[in-house]
Amino acid sequence: NWEHIYEIIEHEKPEGVIVQLGGQTALKLAKRLSENGIKIIGTSYENMDIAEDRGQFSDLLKELNIPYPLYGVAESAEEAIEVAHRVGYPLLVRPSYVLGGQGMSIVINDEELEHAVIKLLKNMPGNRILIDHFLDRAEECEADIIFDGDEMQIIGLMEHIEPAGIHSGDSSCVLPPFGLGAQELQTIQEYTIKMARALKVIGLMNVQFAIKEGQVYVIEVNPRASRTVPFVAKATGVPLPKIA
């Protein structure tokens, strides 16, 4: 926890701390590190937070002219139903700021939505609920990159065998992609470069895309090592975490 880490830092007096190889737990600690003036080596806390915060991230995608599924944020079942009628069913419902996939469900009407939201708020009081339009029967693809602020290398482009909506932790991936066209792959590359530059990424970044009827949408960005990095490293024989 934070107290233990702070004591170690006080004792060791390191040059800085790397948070991007520790998943969501390390990202949560990044805020405390930043507030205490401890140098974060790699992507800054402020830029990681833009990718984590749904509102800020959507504003960034709008600015970069990158498509994403319609979404809304709610703090009660009533608000959730208002968002649903604006965004349109089917919907993907999940709490914000949690480990990927935790508490996530797909709903198709007001009754299911109300049930899902009440359950989430009971288990996680005070949390905000993210409500996204669910791209039904879309293909999912992930890109892992290493960026030094100047040059970007796409280290892995994986296509999921299961459709979008099956959590990436439960989905089978194929590297390189087997069913995407040249135009889609080029779009994925262009969007990834734009986002890496805008978020001033230093080190690793993972992007999840949904492709439906030739249109490429960004689902989310993780400005850190994702669980896919060790898979890509093993498949390609390149020691990616070490390079990052």
Side-chain angles (χ1 to χ4, degrees), residues 78-132:
E78 292 76 25
E79 276 182 31
I81 287 170
E82 273 174 42
V83 170
H85 293 172
R86 179 166 51 81
V87 170
Y89 288 103
L91 296 170
L92 193 65
V93 181
R94 59 201 161 134
S96 59
Y97 282 94
V98 294
L99 201 60
Q102 189 185 331
M104 186 167 87
S105 57
I106 293 166
V107 300
I108 57 165
N109 56 38
D110 289 1
E111 195 185 332
E112 284 188 10
L113 175 63
E114 201 173 339
H115 180 73
V117 171
I118 289 167
K119 190 177 167 189
L120 284 174
L121 292 173
K122 189 176 141 196
N123 294 338
M124 299 175 188
N127 208 326
R128 298 166 81 209
I129 309 294
L130 299 177
I131 298 164
D132 294 78

Side-chain angles (χ1 to χ4, degrees), residues 220-240:
E220 67 175 31
V221 167
N222 295 302
R224 58 173 172 85
S226 181
R227 68 170 68 78
T228 49
V229 167
F231 303 154
V232 178
K234 281 193 166 134
T236 57
V238 181
L240 301 169

Side-chain angles (χ1 to χ4, degrees), residues 50 53-63 68-69 71:
I50 290 171
D53 181 287
R54 203 49 205 260
Q56 287 189 77
F57 183 57
S58 299
D59 291 345
L60 177 73
L61 292 179
K62 259 184 219 154
E63 216 175 281
Y68 57 92
Y71 86 102

Side-chain angles (χ1 to χ4, degrees), residues 141 154 157-159 176-192 211 216:
C141 178
I154 293 189
L157 208 52
M158 291 147 285
E159 188 173 347
F178 57 92
L180 298 176
Q183 185 61 51
E184 290 160 341
L185 292 172
Q186 195 184 330
T187 304
I188 285 168
Q189 202 161 334
E190 281 168 18
Y191 290 171
T192 306
I211 299 112
V216 176

Side-chain angles (χ1 to χ4, degrees), residues 179-220:
L180 298 176
Q183 185 61 51
E184 290 160 341
L185 292 172
Q186 195 184 330
T187 304
I188 285 168
Q189 202 161 334
E190 281 168 18
Y191 290 171
T192 306
I193 291 169
K194 272 186 184 178
M195 289 183 290
R197 289 198 186 284
L199 291 167
K200 299 182 176 67
V201 168
I202 300 291
L204 289 156
M205 179 175 96
N206 165 272
V207 192
Q208 293 173 21
F209 296 96
I211 299 112
K212 188 171 181 180
E213 292 157 6
Q215 172 82 289
V216 176
Y217 299 88
V218 168
I219 305 175
E220 67 175 31

Side-chain angles (χ1 to χ4, degrees), residues 6 9 27 33 44 60 71 179 203 220 225-226 241:
Y6 192 60
I9 289 169
L27 282 200
L33 293 168
S44 71
L60 177 73
Y71 86 102
E220 67 175 31
S226 181

Side-chain angles (χ1 to χ4, degrees), residues 14-20 38-44 48 202-203 244:
E15 178 80 20
V17 180
I18 296 170
V19 296
Q20 61 173 268
I38 296 151
K39 183 184 173 187
I40 291 173
I41 298 172
T43 309
S44 71
M48 288 191 286
I202 300 291

